[in-house]
């Protein structure tokens, strides 16, 4: 069978692109600890006001020193806001939504999850660089989606505890 030279070139180019894309996924998954969500927990989105955790979403420090941040996303804000956490300590985020699907991406980190009504998204991150980070909603959620943002403040000086 005769395959034209140009066709051959394009076939190889397509194969190389697929290898490149698949490789990018594998490399970033390994190097940046990017992985699909694995936490499965439900919550009644209609009853968040009566929920002991999500009626007053806040930052709590457990007895072992680990930090838990409960977050409720709603059109078009996150609460609490700002979120203040210490540097160099594992911070577990627990997100849910009271209305529609929202995104929760901490710009400049690998923290990126969805806040889905009825579910609790959970992941743990350790921030090594103190500073102010923007939290963006990256799921289209309505007319003011582009305005939906929060602030994360990572504070230094807690690493000795
Ligand atoms: Cu919330 Cu887009």
């Amino acid at each position: 069978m005769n395959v034209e030279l140009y066709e051959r070139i394009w076939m190889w180019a397509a194969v190389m692109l697929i290898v490149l894309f698949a490789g990018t996924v594998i490399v970033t998954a390994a190097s940046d600890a990017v992985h699909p969500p694995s936490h499965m927990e439900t919550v009644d989105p209609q009853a968040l006001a009566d929920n002991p955790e999500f009626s007053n979403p806040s930052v709590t420090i457990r007895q072992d020193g680990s930090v838990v941040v409960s977050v409720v996303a709603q059109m078009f804000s996150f609460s609490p806001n700002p979120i203040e956490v210490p540097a160099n300590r594992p911070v577990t985020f627990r997100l849910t939504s009271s209305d529609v699907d929202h995104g929760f991406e901490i710009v400049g980190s690998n923290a990126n999850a969805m806040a889905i009504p009825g579910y609790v998204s959970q992941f743990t991150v350790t921030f090594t660089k103190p500073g102010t980070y923007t939290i963006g909603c990256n799921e289209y959620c309505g007319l003011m989606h582009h305005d939906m943002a929060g602030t994360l403040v990572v504070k230094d000086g807690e690493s000795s505890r």
Side-chain angles (χ1 to χ4, degrees), residues 102 137 139-141 145 148:
H102 297 277
C137 174
E139 297 289 335
Y140 182 74
C141 55
H145 159 70
M148 181 166 173

Side-chain angles (χ1 to χ4, degrees), residues 94-115:
R94 290 171 52 75
L95 325 169
T96 194
S97 165
S98 60
D99 41 43
V100 299
D101 289 2
H102 297 277
F104 184 91
E105 177 176 7
I106 302 172
V107 179
S109 78
N110 70 343
N112 185 0
M114 286 176 76

